C-alpha cells in the first residue's frame, strides 16, 4: 500500500465504528517509530479502515450495533470489503494499545512469564520465534502472540488485515495478546526495507502491562463464531 494519503469512501450516514485516539503523544514511541510514521499510520491508514467499514453499514445494517471484536468471529459471513476494513480497524486498535513509550511498558507478569517459558522455553526464545514469524511473513500482514482456546500460548502470523479471531480457513484461532504490524507503511519511512531492524527496535515499545491484562482476562474474549 502506498505511503501517500489513502482515499476513504464518502462518509456514510451511519457510523458505528470510531477511530480511537492514540494512548500516547504522536512522538511518544520515538526513536523506534518516528512521529511522521505514527501520524500517517493512525490518521490516514487506520482512519481509512474505519471510514470504509462504516460505509459498508448501508449494505449490512447489522454492523451498526455489532462490537468490533464480535465482528471478527463472524467474518466468514461478509465480503472482502468488510473483512479487510473490519480486520484493519480491529488490528490497529489493538496495536496502539500493546505499545507504550520506552520505559513505560513494564514487564511480563509472573503468570505470563511462566506461560511463556512453558510454551517457548524462555522469554528470549519467545522474542526469537516471534521475530521469525514477523520476518518470514511474505508481503503485508501481522505477527501474533495468541492464547489458544485450551489456554496455551502460540505464535502465528496472518496475511493482510486478517487476525486470529476470524472464523476463516487457514487461520490459527486464538485470543490475540500481542500483535505486530509488518505492512510497509508501519516502518518504511524509518527503516526502508529493513524489516528485521524495525522488529528489533519494536521490542522496546511492547506494553507488557496491557499484554498482562489481556492474558489475565483469559477466556473473556471468544474465538467462536456467534450465532
Amino acid at each position: 500500500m502506498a505511503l501517500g494519503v489513502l482515499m476513504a469512501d464518502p462518509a456514510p450516514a451511519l457510523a458505528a465504528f470510531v477511530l480511537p485516539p492514540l494512548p500516547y503523544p504522536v512522538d511518544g514511541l520515538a526513536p523506534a517509530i518516528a512521529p511522521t510514521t505514527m501520524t500517517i499510520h493512525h490518521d490516514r491508514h487506520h482512519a481509512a479502515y474505519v471510514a470504509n467499514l462504516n460505509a459498508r453499514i448501508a449494505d449490512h445494517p447489522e454492523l451498526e450495533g455489532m462490537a468490533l471484536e464480535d465482528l471478527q468471529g463472524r467474518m466468514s459471513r461478509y465480503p472482502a470489503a468488510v473483512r479487510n476494513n473490519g480486520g484493519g480497524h480491529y488490528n490497529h486498535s489493538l496495536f496502539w494499545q500493546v505499545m507504550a513509550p520506552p520505559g513505560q511498558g513494564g514487564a511480563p507478569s509472573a503468570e505470563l512469564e511462566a506461560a511463556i517459558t512453558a510454551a517457548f522455553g524462555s522469554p528470549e526464545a519467545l522474542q526469537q520465534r516471534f521475530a521469525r514469524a514477523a520476518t518470514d511473513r511474505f508481503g503485508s500482514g501481522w505477527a501474533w502472540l495468541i492464547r489458544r482456546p485450551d489456554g496455551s500460548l502460540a505464535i502465528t502470523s496472518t496475511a493482510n488485515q486478517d487476525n486470529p479471531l476470524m472464523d476463516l480457513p487457514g487461520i490459527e484461532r486464538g485470543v490475540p495478546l500481542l500483535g505486530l504490524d509488518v505492512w510497509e507503511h508501519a516502518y518504511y519511512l524509518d527503516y526502508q526495507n529493513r524489516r528485521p531492524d524495525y522488529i528489533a527496535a519494536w521490542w522496546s515499545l511492547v506494553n507488557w502491562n496491557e499484554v498482562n491484562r489481556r492474558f489475565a482476562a483469559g477466556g473473556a474474549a471468544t474465538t467462536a463464531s456467534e450465532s
Side-chain angles (χ1 to χ4, degrees):
M1 186 177 293
L3 287 171
V5 176
L6 299 186
M7 297 303 294
D9 289 350
L14 299 174
F17 301 100
V18 177
L19 178 70
L22 291 172
Y24 30 71
V26 71
D27 61 353
L29 303 185
I33 302 178
T36 300
T37 296
M38 290 299 300
T39 299
I40 293 172
H41 200 170
H42 177 269
D43 295 359
R44 300 184 188 178
H45 288 272
H46 190 176
Y49 290 126
V50 175
N52 292 335
L53 179 59
N54 281 326
R56 305 281 78 79
I57 294 175
D59 297 326
H60 306 281
E62 73 279 6
L63 293 175
E64 186 182 13
M66 191 181 300
L68 181 60
E69 188 170 273
D70 291 342
L71 171 59
Q72 310 309 304
R74 302 175 181 179
M75 204 60 79
S76 63
R77 309 177 190 185
Y78 293 99
V82 175
R83 173 179 177 174
N84 294 334
N85 292 294
H89 182 22
Y90 174 85
N91 294 353
H92 285 86
S93 297
L94 181 146
F95 187 50
W96 312 132
Q97 293 294 327
V98 298
M99 296 188 292
Q104 298 183 27
S109 66
E111 295 77 11
L112 177 58
E113 187 167 348
I116 289 171
T117 300
F120 310 112
S122 68
E124 293 75 21
L126 159 68
Q127 289 195 22
Q128 293 169 3
R129 289 180 58 178
F130 190 97
R132 189 179 312 124
T135 301
D136 292 348
R137 167 50 60 186
F138 181 77
S140 300
W142 293 74
W144 305 96
L145 173 66
I146 64 171
R147 185 168 187 164
R148 293 180 173 129
D150 66 4
S152 64
L153 300 184
I155 292 168
T156 187
S157 70
T158 56
N160 301 318
Q161 294 298 349
D162 290 349
N163 64 63
L165 290 178
M166 291 182 175
D167 60 332
L168 296 168
I171 292 179
E172 182 173 7
R173 306 291 299 286
V175 176
L177 304 180
L178 184 63
L180 173 59
D181 189 345
V182 294
W183 283 62
E184 285 190 342
H185 65 242
Y187 64 87
Y188 205 85
L189 289 179
D190 302 316
Y191 300 94
Q192 290 79 52
N193 63 335
R194 304 189 308 275
R195 185 188 289 184
D197 291 351
Y198 160 64
I199 296 166
W202 175 77
W203 284 106
S204 68
L205 306 177
V206 171
N207 184 0
W208 290 108
N209 296 319
E210 174 63 14
V211 180
N212 292 336
R213 186 196 68 77
R214 297 181 66 84
F215 177 75
T222 180
T223 61
S225 298
E226 302 290 342
S227 60

